[in-house]
Each structure stands twice: as structure tokens, then as C-alpha cells.
Amino acid sequence: MNVRNRLHEVIFEADTPEGKLFDVLLILSIIISVILVMLDSVGSIRQSYGKLLYIGEWLFTIFFSIEYLLRLFSVGRPLAYATSFYGIVDLMAVLPTY
């Protein structure tokens, strides 16, 4: 199995142990990212931890950007995925930070 097919299996199929782990890690990352954004919206927390929250936001943005690029790489028709509902949602999740 080549790299592209293996990535597709891990990213898009949840019936393998690796796919399940990928999904769990992705969901945890989304939850932690949302919590960071919420914490950043509280002035007193931003004042104390703003730099740390900023770094965290960028780390998650880089992680989600890599995940999006891997999705594009692993599908047979990247443009079809990029213009699909989920592809647009993935892109819109990272664009605001850039």
C-alpha cells in the first residue's frame, strides 16, 4: 500500500485502530483549540497568558493546516474535496488565523 492510500485510510476511515486514534486526536485538538480561543476572549486571562494563548493558537493552526493538506494529498481528486462541504469547513477553520 502506498503512502497516499495509507494516509487516506487513516484520515478518512474510522474502522482501523489508526483511524480511530486519528479521529480522537483530531476531536481533542478541536476542543482544546476552542477552549484556547474562549480563554483568549477573557481580558484578564489574555492579560496574564496572552503570549501562551497566541502560541497555542498558532500551533493548532499549523496542525490543522497540515491536516488539511494531508487530506488534499490523500484523496484521488483534491479539487473535489477542496470544494466539498467538509473541505470548505476545513479551510475556513484555518483561514481566520492567517
Side-chain angles (χ1 to χ4, degrees):
M1 182 178 285
N2 66 30
V3 172
R4 179 175 279 166
N5 291 340
R6 182 73 179 126
L7 275 173
H8 186 275
E9 182 179 318
V10 170
I11 294 172
F12 289 99
E13 306 296 329
D15 58 350
T16 66
E18 296 87 358
K20 289 176 186 175
L21 177 63
F22 178 83
D23 287 348
V24 168
L25 291 176
L26 186 60
I27 290 168
L28 285 174
S29 297
I30 292 167
I31 291 169
I32 294 169
S33 175
V34 169
I35 290 170
L36 286 179
V37 170
M38 289 170 47
L39 290 172
D40 192 47
S41 71
V42 178
S44 60
I45 295 175
R46 185 182 329 111
Q47 188 174 14
S48 298
Y49 302 100
K51 185 171 178 118
L52 191 61
L53 294 170
Y54 178 79
I55 291 168
E57 179 181 352
W58 271 104
L59 288 174
F60 279 109
T61 298
I62 291 166
F63 172 75
F64 293 134
S65 298
I66 292 169
E67 182 248 344
Y68 177 71
L69 293 172
L70 288 174
R71 285 182 184 272
L72 289 176
F73 174 74
S74 69
V75 295
R77 297 175 43 219
L79 185 58
Y81 176 77
T83 57
S84 72
F85 173 77
Y86 293 110
I88 292 170
V89 168
D90 283 345
L91 182 61
M92 296 306 289
V94 295
L95 278 183
T97 305
Y98 290 115

